[in-house]
Every structure is written in C-alpha cells, then in structure tokens.
Amino acid sequence: MLRYVLRRLAISVVTVVGLVLVTFIVVRILPGDAAAARLGPEASQADVDALRTQLGLDDSLPRQLLDYTTGLLKGDLGPAVSTGRPVSDELFDRLPATIELAFAGLVIALLIGFPWGLLAAARPGRVGDVSGRLFAVLGSSMAPIWLGLLLIFGFYSTWHLFPGPVGRLAIGTPPPPEVTGTYVFDSLLAGDFGLAWQSIQYLALPALTLGLGASAAVFKMVRSAVLHTAESGFVRTARAYGVPGREVLLRDQLRNAMLQVLTAIGLVFGFLLGGNIIVERLFNWPGMGRVAYDALGSNDLGLLQGYALIIGTLYILLNLAVDLVYGVIDPRVRLGGSNS
C-alpha cells in the first residue's frame, strides 16, 4: 500500500509541474498587455513601459518562468495587475465561498442522482428509469446560466421562496466570525442558527443551479455502473441461490460498481469547483469564479493564471484522493499498480 501511495503522489507532483508549465505558456501567448490594461487608455507609453519593466514583462520567457516558479515555491503567485494585491490573497480569500458552493452542489447532485440511478438500474424500462433518462437528457443539455435564470424567475421573482441573487447574505448583514470561511459552518460553530439558516437560503439557488445539472451526470454513471454488473457471474449465482433481488443489488452490484461511481463523484466535484464561473457571476457569489470572470474583463492574465493553477491543483488532489480510496476499496488496484 505504501508503494501505491508513493507512486500516486509522484504522479500527482509531475502533473502539477506540467500544469504550471502549461498555464505559464498559455498565459504568455495570449494577446493583450497587462500593464496597459492596469493603467487604462489614458496612460502614456512611458508609464506603460515603466510598469512592464516593474512587473518583469520585458524579461525573456525563461527568466519569467524562473521568477514565477521561484515565487510559487514561496507561495507567491505574483501581483494582480487589476488591483495591485497579491494574486494569492485575491484568490484564497474567495476559496471558501467557492468550496462551500461546490460542496452544496455536490450534495444536491448526490441526493438526486444517486438514488434515482440506483432505482433505474434496479428496474430498467420502468417509469423511474424512463423518467430518469429524460431528466438526464434535460439536465445535460441545459446551460447553467439558463437554469439559473429559470430558478431566479420561479423561486425569487414569482413565488418569493428564496432571496435574490445578491451574494452570500442579505445586504448589510455582517458575516459570522471566520473559522473555515464557509458561512453555514461558521454560523453553526458560533451558535448563530438564524444566520446559518439565512446562509442556507442564499446558498440554495446557486447550489441548485449547479447540483441539478451535475445530478444528471451522477444518475447516468450510477445507472450504467450498476447495470453493467447485472450480467456478472456472481450476480447470476446469487440469484440462482435465491438471494433477494434488493440484497443482490445493494450488497453485490452496488459494491462492485463503487469504483466507477467514485470516479463520477470525483469528476463532478472537480467540475463544480472549476465550472461555476457563470453561476457565481449570475448570483453575485463572491467566489474564485467571480474573480476569474472580473479578471477576464480587466485583462488580468496573472490572476487568470493563478485561478487556473489553483483549480487545476485542487482537481489533481481530488483525483489523488479518489485513487487512494480505490486502493482501500479494491486491493486489486494496488496489486495492479505494483506490477506495472
């Protein structure tokens, strides 16, 4: 198991190094001048040139890469040209809001997609299966911004069940004392259940926007993985011995399908972390996605580079965690990794 863990850690480190190189190169070949964008259209060329020299944009690419990687090792992602603050401060201050939203979206996706996919696999061709497949098609084809607008129109403008898209709390409401940075947990830790309920209400619509779309992917993966095990020899043997169908489904089929299901959960959570830019902008959610959206408008390539690097690293760590869970659930994965 130790060799398996070390091998997966080494692969993750190499992947992070590749991510650093790719994001650095992509940002450098994009059109635009960060110095000119920061100073605005009224700035003189001399001022732009001076700022370019100050930011190191006139240095050669190898020199810029060396300075950038040296800064990364110290936790320095460089300055955000649009605000003047360090990129790490701009992004890590918003990271808890993004994680809170992505986690809530994942919970909704699992609550809807997992049991529905299991029900569809248990009774293929029945009403639950057909309606689930129709839901999966709709959920996969509907753009998050369109779904978000529908939810705002229905649950806020029409029925007044949830608050409007103004952020994480009502305007003027002070946030809870910061412990984790997530308002729901911090409110509960502070014993302020009223603030926790308000945080959940403001979290509901953006989380539903993310979770409903992601639940379609969870449904399809659970249904496919469980159905794939239905024709396995151990399932036919269990049924031949008269084992009840529900017991076969939950004990044998679902257990053997868990590797694929875990893969789906890891992919969905990674998508929710990095794919919520539009949702955060739509609901004025002050997360990293909104920072990236604003950085696009201000041509702040350094901030975009930091966003891509942090989201990519989180995605790699998430896949590493899934790989380690693989090794715990199925020892054949560890043995296969050692032999290779």
Side-chain angles (χ1 to χ4, degrees), residues 115-253:
W116 204 346
L118 195 60
L119 174 65
R123 297 180 178 179
R126 302 289 184 86
V127 175
D129 183 27
V130 175
S131 59
R133 282 185 285 169
L134 178 61
F135 167 76
V137 171
L138 290 175
S140 302
S141 58
M142 188 173 291
I145 188 171
W146 175 242
L147 179 59
L149 289 173
L150 285 179
L151 293 176
I152 292 173
F153 176 75
F155 289 98
Y156 167 62
S157 300
T158 304
W159 300 314
H160 308 292
L161 296 176
F162 292 103
V166 296
R168 304 176 75 182
L169 291 171
I171 297 175
T173 303
E178 183 171 352
V179 179
T180 65
T182 57
Y183 282 5
V184 176
F185 285 105
D186 286 354
S187 300
L188 293 175
L189 291 175
D192 193 341
F193 298 104
L195 189 60
W197 175 241
Q198 184 183 144
S199 303
I200 292 173
Q201 288 179 307
Y202 278 83
L203 178 62
L205 288 186
L208 272 174
T209 304
L210 287 175
L212 286 177
S215 62
V218 174
F219 167 85
K220 288 189 288 187
M221 182 57 72
V222 172
R223 178 182 180 276
S224 173
V226 176
L227 276 179
H228 182 71
T229 63
E231 300 302 324
S232 302
F234 59 90
V235 173
R236 292 199 299 268
T237 301
R239 288 173 176 165
Y241 276 96
V243 178
R246 179 178 299 179
E247 187 175 342
V248 173
L249 176 69
L250 297 178
R251 188 192 65 184
D252 298 322
Q253 290 183 254

